[in-house]
Amino acid sequence: MAAAAGSVAPLAHAQQAPWPGKTVKIIVPYPPGGAVDVATRKMAQKLTEQTGQSFIVENKPGATGTIGASFVAQAQPDGYTLLANDTTYSLLPHIFKKLPFDHATQLVPVSAYLFAPMGLAVNAGSKYKTLAELTAQAKAAPNTVTYGTGGPGTTPHFASEALGIATGVNFMHIPYKGAGEATAGLLSSTIDFQIASTTSLMGNVKGGKLRLLAVSGDKRLAALPDVPTFQEAGVNWRGVVNWTGLWAPQGTPADVTQRLQKEVATAMASDDMKQFAQSTGADARQVGSEDFGRLLKDSTEAWGKVAANTAFEKQ
């Protein structure tokens, strides 16, 4: 009996080992190079440094992020498979007739940690110097001014449609396979403009390849003080603030999600994450599970109003 007890004790101890005890996989449901991918890789690096355990990013793109989200929803709820996503997640009920997972319950919002304005960018050589010039052309010749996104139903798609509603014009949507490809299209002047998170745009803006005509929110970016907000540019629209966060499968132990929230908060308080956020025009702060859940609910409801006023048909 003593021998049997001795053989059980190490197993029980192993089962109770604190998280993380092995590599943690963060699924990004989009191709590399987009805002979610950039922010998540930076976060994964910090979490690896803080915990001494590897946090790796794996891209599983497709179907507006539902392939990657479904993968995580069906994963073992042990904290070793997480989902990273942004505001696009709150759009999903409005773009699909039926999702492959329960949007409200099957994935638990753990922590939102990066809040980035969205900017309207044009090629540095574009003839459009102001937002007013761009919308005036779209009004004079509907569906001739083009914009690119990472695909139908993404946050940039709905944000661009919302801008069209606010200005009373019709833009022409050019969907790509990912946000990075849309940016490449803008860099080659294949499209006229792109609305995207400043996290993904700032590098090319600072490199002189792209130019921002306006940014979302109530204030200008400290990094680009000459760029007006949409309201300052003459549009009665605040735009969209793109948040990035982490989800875990339903049933993940509370001590694991609480530890993850703590580590994310520590990361966002670090100097290098603050500098990263500032360099992209983002706000570095951590929002815990309860507040994140409310943010997600409010965002989902707000996008429903935009969807009701667009010609978008659920897939």
Side-chain angles (χ1 to χ4, degrees):
M1 291 178 64
S7 66
V8 171
L11 176 61
H13 178 73
Q15 291 174 335
Q16 297 172 7
W19 178 93
K22 61 181 181 179
T23 298
V24 178
K25 184 185 298 182
I26 305 178
I27 302 300
V28 171
Y30 309 109
V36 178
D37 185 70
V38 172
T40 303
R41 290 182 186 280
K42 186 69 176 178
M43 176 58 71
Q45 178 185 341
K46 287 301 298 180
L47 294 179
T48 297
E49 294 172 1
Q50 291 172 193
T51 65
Q53 198 60 255
S54 295
F55 282 71
I56 62 172
V57 173
E58 183 175 320
N59 299 87
K60 287 187 176 294
T64 318
T66 59
I67 291 176
S70 181
F71 177 85
V72 177
Q74 297 171 32
Q76 188 74 18
D78 54 10
Y80 292 100
T81 305
L82 306 172
L83 173 71
N85 210 327
D86 63 358
T87 313
T88 298
Y89 184 83
S90 60
L91 279 167
L92 297 182
H94 308 302
I95 61 179
F96 291 100
K97 295 176 181 177
K98 184 175 177 59
L99 289 169
F101 60 93
D102 190 321
H103 183 267
T105 64
Q106 209 167 346
L107 287 168
V108 179
V110 177
S111 180
Y113 55 85
L114 196 66
F115 295 77
M118 299 191 78
L120 188 152
V122 297
N123 188 286
S126 172
K127 64 180 180 180
Y128 302 115
K129 306 302 181 185
T130 66
L131 181 59
E133 291 178 358
L134 186 144
T135 55
Q137 175 61 30
K139 189 168 294 186
N143 293 315
T144 60
V145 175
T146 59
Y147 71 91
T149 73
T154 56
T155 299
H157 176 209
F158 270 57
S160 300
E161 289 297 307
L163 174 62
I165 293 171
T167 55
V169 302
N170 292 317
F171 301 114
M172 174 63 75
H173 181 207
I174 308 297
Y176 288 83
K177 293 181 179 179
E181 287 191 15
T183 301
L186 187 59
L187 290 169
S188 64
S189 296
T190 305
I191 54 177
D192 292 310
F193 75 92
Q194 178 188 18
I195 291 182
S197 168
T198 54
T199 305
S200 59
L201 294 174
M202 195 64 77
N204 284 311
V205 171
K206 289 186 174 179
K209 297 178 181 179
L210 298 179
R211 181 159 35 85
L212 287 179
L213 300 187
V215 294
S216 64
D218 296 321
K219 60 182 180 180
R220 299 188 180 198
L221 302 182
L224 296 169
D226 293 333
V227 179
T229 64
F230 280 101
Q231 290 180 320
E232 289 175 331
V235 180
N236 186 24
W237 184 60
R238 292 184 63 253
V240 179
V241 173
N242 189 61
W243 41 261
T244 304
L246 295 173
W247 285 255
Q250 183 184 32
T252 300
D255 61 328
V256 171
T257 58
Q258 289 167 4
R259 170 73 188 281
L260 180 57
Q261 287 181 54
K262 180 180 177 181
E263 294 297 341
V264 170
T266 299
M268 297 317 295
S270 66
D271 289 340
D272 53 344
M273 285 300 285
K274 287 181 178 179
Q275 291 170 3
F276 167 73
Q278 184 177 17
S279 69
T280 61
D283 180 15
R285 56 189 171 93
Q286 187 261 6
V287 173
S289 181
E290 187 174 339
D291 288 337
F292 187 17
R294 281 194 291 267
L295 172 64
L296 178 59
K297 181 176 181 294
D298 292 345
S299 184
T300 302
E301 292 176 355
W303 282 124
K305 297 176 182 178
V306 176
N309 287 281
T310 66
F312 183 83
E313 293 185 7
K314 287 188 175 182
Q315 301 173 28

